[in-house]
Amino acid sequence: MAQPTLLEKALFKVKENGFKYTKKREALLNFLIKKNRYTAAREIYEHLNGLFPGLSYDTVYRNLREFVEIGIVEDTDYQGEMKFRFSCSEDFGHHHHFICTVCGKTKEIHMCPMDFFKEQLDDCEIEGHRFELYGRCSDCKKFV
């Protein structure tokens, strides 16, 4: 039996979390999978509106937020704008990123620094965190 594709895994997770399957949701996820980098909501909206004329920006943004909540899409505030990408973790698990400031490519970081901070904040309740590194990827640093 063939392994499910990333899109199939994501659509299963959508359904598992009580959301209905729609062609629009499939197209949104497929677009993010193909982009494979953080992308502005406006760019996602423009692509989807080309496929589904009349689709509202609010609908696209709401779906992005819902997908972030269930872990299949990741978001970041990059250069003052929220950007979104399909989760680069095959199991949609917790991880962090290096983000290229030139081309936007990301690399998954396979460790979380929170254990270090938990030891220093043992009397506090941590409710969330972000950890991202920025710089030039190996391709872009050649053109400095």
Side-chain angles (χ1 to χ4, degrees):
M1 187 165 141
Q3 289 284 76
T5 66
L6 286 176
L7 181 59
E8 289 168 339
K9 286 181 185 179
L11 290 172
F12 178 79
K13 190 133 172 112
V14 166
K15 201 173 188 180
E16 184 180 63
N17 281 275
F19 297 101
K20 287 192 288 186
Y21 163 84
T22 67
K23 284 282 188 193
K24 293 171 188 167
R25 286 182 171 144
E26 180 179 345
L28 186 156
L29 291 168
N30 202 37
F31 178 76
L32 289 175
I33 289 168
K34 288 180 178 173
K35 277 291 186 184
N36 195 28
R37 63 173 171 81
Y38 280 106
T39 307
R42 177 67 50 193
E43 183 180 345
I44 298 164
Y45 162 73
E46 287 170 1
H47 171 77
L48 291 174
N49 197 44
L51 299 174
F52 305 98
L55 179 67
S56 78
Y57 179 82
D58 289 344
T59 297
V60 172
Y61 201 85
R62 180 178 36 78
N63 276 276
L64 288 166
R65 299 296 331 144
E66 290 169 345
F67 292 164
V68 167
E69 286 178 26
I70 64 173
I72 58 176
V73 169
E74 301 165 359
D75 65 345
T76 191
D77 185 347
Y78 182 63
Q79 297 176 335
E81 180 180 19
M82 286 306 296
K83 298 208 176 179
F84 302 87
R85 68 166 282 132
F86 187 80
S87 176
C88 60
S89 174
E90 291 230 4
D91 64 355
F92 307 119
H94 179 77
H95 62 282
H96 299 283
H97 296 112
F98 168 85
I99 303 170
C100 180
T101 57
V102 177
C103 71
K105 283 188 219 167
T106 61
K107 285 183 111 174
E108 188 174 351
I109 299 171
H110 298 282
M111 62 82 65
C112 181
M114 284 310 294
D115 291 337
F116 172 77
F117 295 110
K118 285 178 187 174
E119 291 173 10
Q120 294 184 39
L121 301 168
D122 62 351
D123 61 334
C124 299
E125 181 180 332
I126 299 168
E127 296 178 349
H129 70 279
R130 264 193 203 281
F131 183 76
E132 296 168 329
L133 298 172
Y134 300 95
R136 292 176 184 251
C137 70
S138 58
D139 291 333
C140 292
K141 75 178 186 178
K142 295 174 189 172
F143 304 107
V144 177

